[in-house]
Amino acid sequence: MLYAKNYSLYDYNNINDFNLVKEYLDYNSSYKSETSIITYKSSLKIFYKFFTSLLKENNANIKDCLAKSIDRKTIEYFINYQIQNKLSEDVVITRVAAVKDYLKYLAKNKVITKQKFFDIFDDLKMPKRKIKSQICIKSNEAMRLIEILKKQKDTFVNRRNILTVLLMSNTGIRRKEIALINPNAINFENNTIMIYKTKGSKARSLA
């Protein structure tokens, strides 16, 4: 379970929705990765800071539950605010996605109505995510790199680097996934590796 101290939830002590945020993060921590929880927590903190300032600027009364005051205009202002501050499309999309998931949780638990949730996000205009060009290492380039590594001093680090290049070039595994491989997940009998710490939090097998 999620502990307030570990995730610095005291950052939320100055908002009225503290318990809602904590319950939401607790709920997600049971099946989502720690990295995702940290991203959600950070995004919600930024959103609430923006939302509170927006209400104060408009001399609006801050209700007991700020989430009930959120409407479509709030999210649109939040998107425009980030774009004006020249934040990347990926950052904006990630933060809004976190807010959307949070409000979906609130709708599921009847803190806000499902109709309100749909009214906010139905056909909401979002910045388009830029397609990043990926650098792919061809097999001949991987072999050339391995040959260079073989000529260096035979150390644990060098052998590890060779294994890393082989894994990445032959399986398409991500760097972070390699770093989190559990030795017990390696099956030498059928030459497979179980990857549990994946981007989508779904275990898969490498052969």
Side-chain angles (χ1 to χ4, degrees):
M1 293 299 289
L2 178 69
Y3 293 96
K5 183 178 179 181
N6 294 344
Y7 287 90
S8 303
L9 287 181
Y10 52 78
D11 291 334
Y12 289 95
N13 280 333
N14 62 339
I15 68 170
N16 296 326
D17 291 13
F18 173 83
N19 288 329
L20 291 176
V21 174
K22 184 179 183 303
E23 289 169 7
Y24 165 74
L25 295 176
D26 272 338
Y27 169 76
N28 279 288
S29 66
S30 63
Y31 69 97
K32 290 192 177 181
S33 68
E34 183 175 343
T35 302
S36 295
I37 299 300
I38 292 173
T39 299
Y40 288 174
K41 183 258 177 183
S42 175
S43 298
L44 289 175
K45 178 184 175 184
I46 291 168
F47 172 72
Y48 266 108
K49 183 177 180 181
F50 164 82
F51 186 34
T52 304
S53 298
L54 182 66
L55 290 174
K56 289 180 179 178
E57 286 178 7
N58 290 280
N59 297 317
N61 292 323
I62 298 179
K63 301 179 181 179
D64 292 337
C65 177
L66 295 182
K68 292 182 179 179
S69 303
I70 295 173
D71 56 16
R72 186 184 183 89
K73 283 293 182 184
T74 302
I75 305 300
E76 290 175 343
Y77 289 147
F78 184 52
I79 294 171
N80 291 333
Y81 167 77
Q82 295 177 92
I83 292 175
Q84 290 172 6
N85 281 276
K86 302 186 185 303
L87 295 176
S88 71
E89 292 82 358
D90 284 349
V91 170
V92 176
I93 292 170
T94 297
R95 289 178 178 176
V96 174
V99 175
K100 181 178 181 179
D101 194 69
Y102 171 57
L103 293 181
K104 183 178 180 180
Y105 170 82
L106 297 185
K108 181 179 179 180
N109 288 275
K110 300 182 180 179
V111 177
I112 64 173
T113 65
K114 291 183 179 180
Q115 185 59 52
K116 183 171 188 176
F117 174 81
F118 288 123
D119 288 344
I120 291 174
F121 292 102
D122 183 42
D123 200 28
L124 182 69
K125 302 301 180 185
M126 293 284 292
K128 292 183 179 180
R129 194 187 296 272
K130 290 184 178 178
I131 300 176
K132 298 179 181 178
S133 57
Q134 297 182 349
I135 300 176
C136 299
I137 299 177
K138 296 180 180 179
S139 58
N140 62 327
E141 293 174 331
M143 292 306 300
R144 183 173 61 83
L145 180 57
I146 290 172
E147 289 302 321
I148 293 174
L149 291 171
K150 283 183 177 179
K151 293 178 182 179
Q152 297 181 11
K153 189 175 180 180
D154 185 22
T155 63
F156 168 78
V157 172
N158 199 38
R159 280 183 270 125
R160 179 204 64 189
N161 291 342
I162 291 173
L163 179 59
T164 299
V165 173
L166 285 171
L167 279 173
M168 293 179 69
S169 62
N170 286 284
T171 67
I173 189 173
R174 299 179 178 87
R175 290 174 297 173
K176 288 185 178 179
E177 293 174 344
I178 289 179
L180 295 172
I181 288 178
N182 187 329
N184 295 326
I186 302 175
N187 189 324
F188 291 101
E189 292 184 3
N190 58 12
N191 294 322
T192 61
I193 303 174
M194 282 301 299
I195 308 297
Y196 296 100
K197 301 289 185 178
T198 65
K199 185 176 181 181
S201 299
K202 293 182 180 179
R204 71 177 191 277
S205 175
L206 296 179

